[in-house]
Amino acid sequence: MSGAMGTVDWSLYLVTDPVLGGGPDRVVDIATRAVAGGATVVQLRDKHATDAEVEATAAALLDAVDVPVFLNDRVEVARRLRCHLHIGQIDIPFPRARALLRDDQMIGLSVGSDTELDAVIALDGRGPDVIGIGPAFDTTTKANAPAGLGVERVHALADRARTADLPSVAIGGIDADRAGLFTDTAVDGICVVSAIMAAADPAAAARDLKEAYTR
């Protein structure tokens, strides 16, 4: 039911935030510098921009970086640009999203409990290409986020996912001080927002995160 396309390096997954980055016009530059510093995947997330604005930013981002680019919850934009998609539990249902996209477009899905992971594993046909497990810690970068799971719970979910050949990344409240806590867990990478988006030097922040989280 699973299996990411080819071999993707999930080790440092950046989720963008235009507010933390100082405005939507700075997102592509920050992401580009983060990739130069070692970010291996970028997800464009902007809950307030229009589809047209997201499409313009995504097109610029796709031209600027050579790592997988995911769009958060904008399935029609992802379909038009032929990039990848990430959805949450209350976004478009996964089977519908999968039916709308091409086979070469990956889909990531947020998972925060055994029940949600059970539903992923039970999917018929191709499941998500990666899951984001979290929030790992309490976070303020996502409205109404539940309490942090903690490293042990994240590891337990990631270990179950790995048994199902499903890559996972930990997300939520992870910074350079906490990144190393996931080195010996079953996750395939760490996912960060403010640790890079709010950094004075995004490239240096990415390097610090990669150094802290070593496989």
Side-chain angles (χ1 to χ4, degrees):
M1 47 68 64
S2 62
M5 300 191 59
T7 301
V8 177
D9 181 353
W10 301 108
S11 59
L12 182 54
Y13 186 135
L14 167 64
V15 177
T16 68
D17 183 307
V19 176
L20 288 171
D25 58 329
R26 298 198 63 233
V27 166
V28 173
D29 178 61
I30 292 171
T32 302
R33 289 195 277 164
V35 169
T40 57
V41 179
V42 177
Q43 179 191 138
L44 179 62
R45 184 169 76 187
D46 189 333
K47 292 296 188 181
H48 303 294
T50 65
D51 274 5
E53 290 167 339
V54 169
E55 186 162 352
T57 303
L61 182 59
L62 287 163
D63 285 340
V65 301
D66 59 358
V67 299
V69 172
F70 287 73
L71 294 190
N72 182 280
D73 189 31
R74 307 286 183 131
V75 63
E76 291 298 338
V77 179
R79 186 181 186 184
R80 286 194 294 272
L81 293 179
R82 296 186 177 182
C83 61
H84 310 297
L85 178 72
H86 183 89
I87 54 177
Q89 291 289 323
I90 61 173
D91 296 330
I92 182 174
F94 177 84
R96 175 66 176 156
R98 184 67 272 164
L100 286 170
L101 300 185
R102 294 156 47 101
D103 287 347
D104 60 355
Q105 292 176 273
M106 293 184 287
I107 302 179
L109 180 65
S110 298
V111 169
S113 67
D114 281 295
T115 300
E116 291 174 355
L117 183 56
D118 287 342
V120 171
I121 293 173
L123 284 168
D124 290 331
R126 177 179 168 185
D129 297 279
V130 63
I131 57 170
I133 300 175
F137 304 103
D138 294 344
T139 177
T140 59
T141 60
K142 190 171 183 181
N144 303 314
L149 296 170
V151 176
E152 289 186 9
R153 285 293 302 132
V154 170
H155 168 68
L157 288 166
D159 193 49
R160 288 192 59 210
R162 178 173 287 181
T163 301
D165 295 323
L166 179 57
S168 66
V169 293
I171 183 172
I174 299 173
D175 54 22
D177 291 332
R178 290 169 163 171
L181 299 173
F182 295 93
T183 296
D184 294 321
T185 67
V187 299
D188 296 279
I190 54 171
C191 193
V192 302
V193 187
S194 58
I196 287 177
M197 293 304 300
D201 185 339
R207 284 194 294 271
D208 289 345
L209 286 157
K210 285 291 283 283
E211 184 175 342
Y213 173 77
T214 54
R215 300 302 293 169

